[in-house]
Amino acid sequence: MPRIRLRISTRLMIVLCLLVLVQSVVLGGFALRHLGDSLEEQIAQRAVQLASMVAQTPSIRSAVAANDADATSRIVSELRDATDASFISIGNIEGIRLAHPLPDRIGKPMVGGDNYAVLQEGRTIISSATGSMGPSIRGKAPVFNDIGEVVGVVSVGYLTNQIDNTVLTYQRLVIIVTLALLALSVMIASWIGRRFRAAIFDLEPHEIAALFEERNATLESVREGIIAINNKGLITTFNRAAVDTLDLGTEQLTGRHIREVLPDSRMPALLESGEPEFDKEMLVDGRYLVINRIPIRVKGRITGVVASFRVRDELTMVSRRLTRIRQYAESLRSQAHEYANKLHTIAGLIQLDKSDEALELIGQETRDHQAMLRWLVDSVDDPVVSGCLLGKFNRAHELGLHLEIDPDSHLGPLPVDISTERMVTLIGNLLDNAFDATLSAGNRRIALSMTDIGQDIIIEVEDQGPGIEDDDFARVFERGFSRKAEGRGIGLHLVKEIVSDLGGEVVVENLAAQGARFTLYLPKETH
C-alpha cells in the first residue's frame, strides 16, 4: 500500500490541534480537580462556621438544654430559610434528633457515627458521611448550657451532589472553551501553513531536502570556485573548487567573515552597491582569476552575494584554442575561395594558350604570399596574432580589397596583462570595421600599422570609407550603434571595453582625404 504523504500545512494543522487539545485536557482536568477540592474545603468551612453560629444562638441553647423538640424545630426552620445549607439537624446529648428537615426523622437517633468528638469532647469537627439525606459534608458544633456543659450537637450539611453540579457546570465551560480554542487553532494553523509554504516557495520538506542535496552535488561538480556570503558578510556556501583554487586549507569556512578568509575580497562592497560584476580579472596569490560577482536579492532586498571564479590560465588556454581554430578556419576558407578563383583564371589562360600570362600570375601570387609570410615571421612574435593577420589579409583579397601593412610594423611578445585573445579581438574588429566602411564607399585600400616601441603598444587602422559624422563621434563605441544594419555595432563596443579595461585609450578621427583612422594606445604595464 503506498504511503500517504501529508502536506506540510496539513501536518502543521494536526500538530497544533493536538497540542491545543492535550493542553486543554491536562489543564482542564487539573483545574476541575483543584476546583472540586477547593469547593469541598470552602463548603466544609462554611458548614462548620454556620454550625458554630447556630450552636451559640441563645434560643437554640435554651431549647436544646430543655430538650424541647418543637421549639428547636421552629427556630431551625427559620434559620434554614436564611442560609444555603442543605440541612440543619440538631440532636440532644444522647444523639436523638430535636430538629431535622424531615419531620418524621425527629426523635430518632442521628446517623453517621461522627458525633462522639462533639458530644464527649466538646470539639467542633468537619466530616464527610452518608446520613439520612444522603452523602454530605458536615460541620458539627457542640451546644453548651449556661454552666458550660455539652447538652447537644448542631449538624449543618451540604449534599455532595451540589458540589458535583457546580463542577459539572465548570466542565461544560471548559469543554466549550476547548472546542473554541481547537477551532481557533485550526484557523491559525491554516494561516501559518500558508505563510510558511509561501516563505519556502510552496515546497514540501522532502522537496527542500532533495533540492539541498542537488545543490550540494551541483556545487561540487562544477570546476569553478563558488563562494556565497549573507548580508552580514559571513560565508554561507562554498565548494571544493573554491578551497583548492584559493588554497584555503582544511579549516571550516561556514560562518566565518569573508574578510577573515579573503581580506581583499570585493564581495562586501556589492552588499552596498548592488551592482553585479562580470569577468573581472584579479591577481590573487600570484595567479590571475576571472571573477563574477552577483548580489542575491529576495523581494528586492539584497540578502547576500555569490561569487564564481576560475584561474585565467585555464580560460586562456581554452580561449586560445578556440581563437586559433577560428582564425585558421577563416584563413583556410579565404585562401580556398581565393585560390579557387586563381585556379579558374590560370585554367582559362592555359586554355587560351596564354602560358606566359599564366606563369606570371602564378609567380605574382607566390611572391605576395611569401612576402606576407616572411613579414609575419620577422615582425610578429605571437603565432595566433600572425594567424589573425594572415586570415584578414586573405579575407581582404577575397572581398576585392587591398590590405596594406606598414613594413616597419613590429609586435613583439605581448605583455602579461594583454592576452592573445584580447589582441586578436582588437585587431580583428578594427579591420572588419574598416573592410565594411571601405566597401560601403566603393574603395579598396585599408592600412594597418603596429609598433611596440616605448611604453605603449600603438595600433593604427585607416579605411577609405565615408568617415564619421560629427554627431556620431560620441556614439561610435556604443553597443548596438551602427549606420549599416540591424544587429551590428558590437565590434567597436568590444574594442572600447577591452581598451578601457587595459587602461588604454582609443582615438578616432576623420582623414583629410576620405575615410577614418582608429588609433589604439595600450600601456605595456597597468598601474
Side-chain angles (χ1 to χ4, degrees):
M1 182 176 179
R3 181 182 176 184
I4 300 176
R5 189 187 297 273
L6 298 177
R7 295 168 65 90
I8 182 65
S9 55
T10 304
R11 281 181 280 171
L12 186 61
M13 183 183 301
I14 292 174
V15 169
L16 285 178
C17 292
L18 289 177
L19 181 62
V20 170
L21 186 60
V22 170
Q23 288 179 337
S24 300
V25 170
V26 172
L27 294 178
F30 175 78
L32 292 175
R33 177 64 181 272
H34 180 70
L35 176 64
D37 295 340
S38 298
L39 283 174
E40 287 185 4
E41 183 178 355
Q42 291 176 10
I43 290 175
Q45 292 297 326
R46 187 185 307 172
V48 74
Q49 290 174 2
L50 186 57
S52 297
M53 183 185 68
V54 172
Q56 295 174 12
T57 303
S59 57
I60 291 294
R61 293 174 61 187
S62 300
V64 173
N67 203 23
D68 187 349
D70 293 335
T72 303
S73 295
R74 184 177 66 254
I75 298 171
V76 167
S77 177
E78 295 175 355
L79 292 174
R80 188 186 304 118
D81 294 337
T83 65
D84 60 349
S86 300
F87 62 87
I88 299 176
S89 178
I90 298 178
N92 60 18
I93 189 64
E94 296 176 353
I96 303 300
R97 296 187 183 99
L98 298 177
H100 194 273
L102 301 177
D104 60 337
R105 304 293 173 88
I106 297 175
K108 295 181 180 180
M110 301 177 73
V111 296
D114 51 0
N115 287 334
Y116 179 82
V118 180
L119 295 175
Q120 302 299 323
E121 300 177 4
R123 292 189 294 112
T124 300
I125 66 169
I126 296 173
S127 69
S128 296
T130 301
S132 59
M133 299 289 292
S136 62
I137 296 176
R138 312 175 184 188
K140 289 180 178 276
V143 179
F144 296 95
N145 59 16
D146 294 337
I147 60 175
E149 295 177 343
V150 177
V151 294
V153 58
V154 176
S155 177
V156 177
Y158 290 86
L159 298 176
T160 56
N161 59 3
Q162 289 183 322
I163 301 175
D164 294 338
N165 291 335
T166 303
V167 172
L168 182 61
T169 300
Y170 282 102
Q171 281 181 339
R172 293 194 186 98
L173 181 61
V174 169
I175 292 174
I176 292 174
V177 171
T178 300
L179 293 178
L181 289 175
L182 195 61
L184 181 62
S185 67
V186 170
M187 292 187 291
I188 294 176
S190 177
W191 179 78
I192 294 176
R194 290 195 300 271
R195 293 294 301 272
F196 183 72
R197 286 180 60 84
I200 59 175
F201 302 100
D202 204 31
L203 296 174
E204 294 295 324
H206 67 280
E207 295 174 328
I208 296 175
L211 287 176
F212 181 77
E213 295 297 334
E214 181 181 333
R215 166 256 200 190
N216 288 340
T218 302
L219 284 176
E220 296 303 326
S221 66
V222 298
R223 296 184 60 188
E224 288 194 350
I226 296 176
I227 292 182
I229 62 173
N230 60 17
N231 57 359
K232 297 181 180 178
L234 303 180
I235 296 175
T236 58
T237 301
F238 66 95
N239 64 352
R240 175 52 53 184
V243 174
D244 295 339
T245 301
L246 300 176
D247 194 20
L248 299 178
T250 58
E251 296 183 10
Q252 177 64 29
L253 300 181
T254 304
R256 297 176 62 186
H257 199 280
I258 189 66
R259 293 292 191 194
E260 179 184 348
V261 179
L262 298 171
D264 298 328
S265 175
R266 282 183 43 79
M267 294 177 71
L270 264 70
L271 291 173
E272 299 178 3
S273 67
E275 295 295 331
E277 297 179 353
F278 299 101
D279 298 329
K280 296 294 182 180
E281 294 188 8
M282 285 189 62
L283 184 63
V284 179
D285 294 334
R287 291 182 299 176
Y288 279 94
L289 301 181
V290 179
I291 304 175
N292 296 295
R293 304 182 186 91
I294 302 175
I296 303 171
R297 299 179 185 272
V298 176
K299 296 182 179 178
R301 186 171 60 91
I302 297 177
T303 60
V305 176
V306 61
S308 65
F309 48 88
R310 197 167 190 175
V311 178
R312 190 185 69 175
D313 296 342
E314 298 179 10
L315 296 176
T316 301
M317 179 182 65
V318 175
S319 180
R320 183 180 293 113
R321 290 176 180 174
L322 293 175
T323 301
R324 187 178 294 115
I325 292 172
R326 185 170 61 250
Q327 295 299 330
Y328 287 165
E330 182 178 353
S331 178
L332 290 173
R333 182 179 62 82
S334 298
Q335 290 183 18
H337 190 276
E338 182 180 358
Y339 280 114
N341 292 333
K342 300 297 182 182
L343 287 175
H344 291 154
T345 303
I346 293 171
L349 291 173
I350 292 174
Q351 290 177 358
L352 294 174
D353 199 19
K354 302 290 184 178
S355 57
D356 293 338
E357 289 80 353
L359 291 173
E360 177 63 25
L361 180 59
I362 293 172
Q364 180 63 40
E365 284 298 313
T366 303
R367 286 192 298 272
D368 290 344
H369 280 82
Q370 288 299 323
M372 181 63 180
L373 291 174
R374 280 195 301 270
W375 180 84
L376 289 173
V377 171
D378 295 338
S379 303
V380 181
D381 284 9
D382 193 294
V384 178
V385 175
S386 297
C388 173
L389 292 173
L390 181 59
K392 296 303 180 184
F393 182 80
N394 293 326
R395 177 62 176 166
H397 275 274
E398 180 184 346
L399 296 173
L401 302 173
H402 179 55
L403 175 59
E404 294 181 2
I405 301 179
D406 187 345
D408 295 328
S409 295
H410 182 271
L411 188 61
L414 297 177
V416 176
D417 295 325
I418 303 179
S419 65
T420 299
E421 290 69 32
R422 288 186 165 186
M423 183 59 71
V424 167
T425 300
L426 292 173
I427 295 174
N429 282 311
L430 285 178
L431 289 177
D432 287 340
N433 182 73
F435 290 169
D436 291 340
T438 302
L439 285 173
S440 66
N443 294 317
R444 297 185 65 250
R445 180 182 173 275
I446 296 97
L448 169 67
S449 66
M450 301 178 296
T451 180
D452 56 0
I453 299 174
Q455 300 299 317
D456 296 330
I457 295 176
I458 302 175
I459 302 172
E460 190 175 88
V461 176
E462 296 181 0
D463 62 54
Q464 287 187 331
I468 300 174
E469 298 180 7
D470 294 340
D471 295 338
D472 293 341
F473 272 98
R475 304 179 56 200
V476 69
F477 294 108
E478 290 183 5
R479 185 180 183 89
F481 174 75
S482 175
R483 295 294 187 185
K484 289 170 282 191
E486 292 290 335
R488 308 294 293 272
I490 304 298
L492 291 180
H493 172 73
L494 292 176
V495 170
K496 180 64 175 179
E497 275 199 340
I498 294 174
V499 171
S500 298
D501 194 44
L502 295 174
E505 183 182 4
V506 55
V507 177
V508 57
E509 56 187 333
N510 285 326
L511 299 176
Q514 185 180 14
R517 179 190 296 120
F518 288 81
T519 306
L520 306 185
Y521 298 91
L522 306 176
K524 294 181 180 179
E525 295 183 3
T526 58
H527 301 285

